[in-house]
Structures are given as structure tokens and as C-alpha cells.
Amino acid sequence: MTRLLKTKKFIFGASFLLILLTLSILNTVFNDGEIRKAPLFYNEDGALEKAPPYPPFDVFLFGSDMYGYDMLHTVIEGAKYSIGIVIVVAFFRMALSILLSYFLFRVPERIFNLIKAISEPLSFFPQTLISYFLLSTVIIYTIDGFHHPFWVRALYEFIILILIALPALTVQLIEQKRRVWKEEFIESAITLGGSKRHIYFKHVLPQLYEEWILMFGQQFLQVLTLLVHLGVMIILFGGTIIGDGDPPTSVTHEWSGLIGVNKRFMLAHEWIVYVPILFFTLTALSVA
């Protein structure tokens, strides 16, 4: 861990995420989550001169959306959801898998093979499709409105995003621990009378924590990719509002929602889609 903290790549990545999260939270606390909006521009004769969407380097640095809202400000406001969701989901995936693997890694070979046989098919089935079918009925706005309050929808999505990865991730951690348990130094510790708990915490875990840090980064990227896929399929965090004849809108300004809602502008006003994609890419590079 100390070696990791000294690497420039880690410092840059952590600083990027921390700055984005801080700015996003400050915008909510001190600005009530409001986003800058450019007005319509009229000439001296009162005729409309310019209207949104404004391209980059015109009114705002990264341009505006169809309603004149600053794209950079919008991305910053949504950062606490986008990055926060990914960190929370990746953390609980790892934490729950580590806990489950602690109780299961020394089960008999026959039982472990059964667990592995059940979990492996799930790892080949696309997580995006599983998430879509489980979330669509809860997340999408209906003619009667949302059937559940925001916190229920958000909690349900968190649970689904965490659980779909647990079987395969737990099996992977079990295999890691079983590999270490077969090492000669573990056999020596057992011979010297070390208890199973002592051997696990003093000898097994020190061999694995660096791998777990890398696995956390992998889960971070996996969740990030999953959110992008769901955003393109208009499954947006917290809820998707679909009106009669109106384009879908997001309850939050989370980045995958910005991509999914605005993908229709990919050819006409491409910066509206490219700005959240850019920040998704930078976020992925910060942990890669």
C-alpha cells in the first residue's frame, strides 16, 4: 500500500476523482445543485441571434446542451452520483465476496466444485441484460408515476449491481485463498501449531491484499462500463422519466444518463455526448 501511494499514476488518479467529487458536493451544498444556463441572445433589433445548443468555446468551455445548460457544470454536478455509485458498488462487491470466501474457501473439494459449477455460467451471461430485466420495471417512469420513492429505487439498483457479480467474484477469491493455503509456509505454520484463524489473518491475507486492490480497480471499471451500457438502454440511476413525445430525462445528472438521453445528438451536436464520454474515459484511466 505504501508503494502504491508513492506512484505518480495513483496520486494523479486519486486526485482527479477527489477533485471531481469535491466540486460536485460543493455545488450541491452551496448552489443547491443548480447548473449554469445560458440565455437566448438577441441582436439590437430584437431578432434572435443565437440559441442553444451552444458549441464548445462559444458561451461555455465545453458547450451547452439543448436547453442551454453548461455541459461542464452538468458533468460536475453528476460526478457525485457517477463516481459515488461506482465506488460504493465496487466496495461492497469486494467486501461481501471477501466475507463469503472466508467461510467457504476451506469447504470440501466436492462442495467447492458444485459452487463453481453454479457460478461459472452466470459469469458468461452479460451483466447488462440481467440488470436491464431486473431494473426496468422499477426504474422507468410509468403513466402513474414512479411506484417507489427515490431512495427505494436507488437502494434496489445498488443491490442488483452488487449481487450480480458476487458468485463469480467469490469463487475467484476462494481460488486465490485455496492456492495460498497450499503453500509450504502455510503447512509449516500448521505444523508449528498455529490456529486456523491465526494462519488466515497473519499468513494468508498478507499474500492477497495487493491482488485485492487490483481487483477493486477491475470491479470499478466493470461497474463503470455496466452503467454506460444501462445508460444507452435508458436505464438511468434513480429513475428514467419518459413522457408522451418527449425525450427521456434523468432524475439525476449521472453521466451514463447524460449519454443515454443525449445519444440522439451524436451526429448533429456531438459535444453533448462527447463531454460525459470524455469524463467517463478519464475516470476509467484514473484507476486503470
Side-chain angles (χ1 to χ4, degrees):
M1 178 63 75
T2 304
R3 185 170 66 251
L4 183 66
L5 293 174
K6 293 180 180 179
T7 59
K8 294 181 180 180
K9 185 178 180 180
F10 176 82
I11 294 174
F12 171 79
S15 300
F16 174 78
L17 296 179
L18 184 61
I19 290 172
L20 270 181
L21 284 171
T22 302
L23 291 175
S24 182
I25 293 170
L26 289 177
N27 186 66
T28 301
V29 172
F30 294 105
N31 200 31
D32 199 27
E34 295 294 327
I35 298 172
R36 290 187 301 175
K37 184 178 181 180
L40 300 174
F41 290 93
Y42 297 90
N43 59 24
E44 295 179 355
D45 298 327
L48 182 63
E49 185 176 345
K50 287 196 301 183
Y54 301 111
F57 305 106
D58 186 356
V59 178
F60 299 122
L61 178 63
F62 284 90
S64 76
D65 63 10
M66 290 296 295
Y67 305 102
Y69 289 104
D70 182 3
M71 285 303 303
L72 178 60
H73 201 173
T74 302
V75 167
I76 290 175
E77 169 61 21
K80 60 180 173 293
Y81 294 105
S82 304
I83 300 175
I85 293 166
V86 175
I87 291 176
V88 171
V89 172
F91 172 80
F92 277 102
R93 281 184 175 187
M94 289 298 301
L96 293 176
S97 296
I98 290 171
L99 182 63
L100 289 173
S101 65
Y102 171 75
F103 294 105
L104 297 174
F105 89 100
R106 297 192 70 247
V107 298
E109 191 72 23
R110 177 171 55 84
I111 298 177
F112 173 67
N113 289 335
L114 177 61
I115 296 172
K116 190 174 181 180
I118 295 173
S119 65
E120 278 187 343
L122 295 175
S123 64
F124 292 107
F125 196 82
Q127 292 186 6
T128 303
L129 290 180
I130 299 175
S131 303
Y132 176 81
F133 290 124
L134 293 175
L135 293 173
S136 57
T137 56
V138 175
I139 296 300
I140 295 180
Y141 186 90
T142 67
I143 192 171
D144 299 320
F146 288 114
H147 295 297
H148 307 282
F150 175 80
W151 72 269
V152 173
R153 301 193 302 270
L155 180 61
Y156 178 72
E157 185 164 355
F158 273 122
I159 292 173
I160 295 300
L161 295 180
I162 292 168
L163 292 183
I164 58 175
L166 282 190
L169 187 57
T170 301
V171 168
Q172 186 177 354
L173 290 174
I174 291 173
E175 289 180 331
Q176 288 180 346
K177 293 177 181 180
R178 290 168 73 90
R179 185 191 71 234
V180 175
W181 196 264
K182 295 177 182 178
E183 296 288 341
E184 293 184 1
F185 68 90
I186 297 294
E187 295 180 2
S188 299
I190 294 173
T191 303
L192 292 173
S195 66
K196 294 178 182 179
R197 183 182 297 272
H198 173 83
I199 293 172
Y200 180 84
F201 286 102
K202 295 296 183 180
H203 298 287
V204 176
L205 291 190
Q207 299 294 319
L208 296 175
Y209 80 93
E210 289 187 354
E211 292 185 45
W212 290 352
I213 294 174
L214 295 176
M215 290 177 67
F216 176 82
Q218 292 172 354
Q219 291 302 310
F220 187 100
L221 295 175
Q222 187 180 101
V223 178
L224 200 66
T225 304
L226 179 58
L227 287 178
V228 174
H229 292 169
L230 291 174
V232 172
M233 300 172 75
I234 315 298
I235 301 297
L236 313 180
F237 179 78
T240 304
I241 300 175
I242 300 178
D244 294 334
D246 296 325
T249 57
S250 174
V251 174
T252 66
H253 295 290
E254 181 259 325
W255 298 344
S256 64
L258 295 177
I259 296 172
V261 168
N262 296 311
K263 66 179 185 292
R264 65 189 188 278
F265 300 121
M266 183 67 77
L267 298 179
H269 310 293
E270 62 280 356
W271 67 86
I272 300 177
V273 182
Y274 287 164
V275 171
I277 289 177
L278 170 65
F279 278 85
F280 254 122
T281 305
L282 292 175
T283 301
L285 290 175
S286 68
V287 298

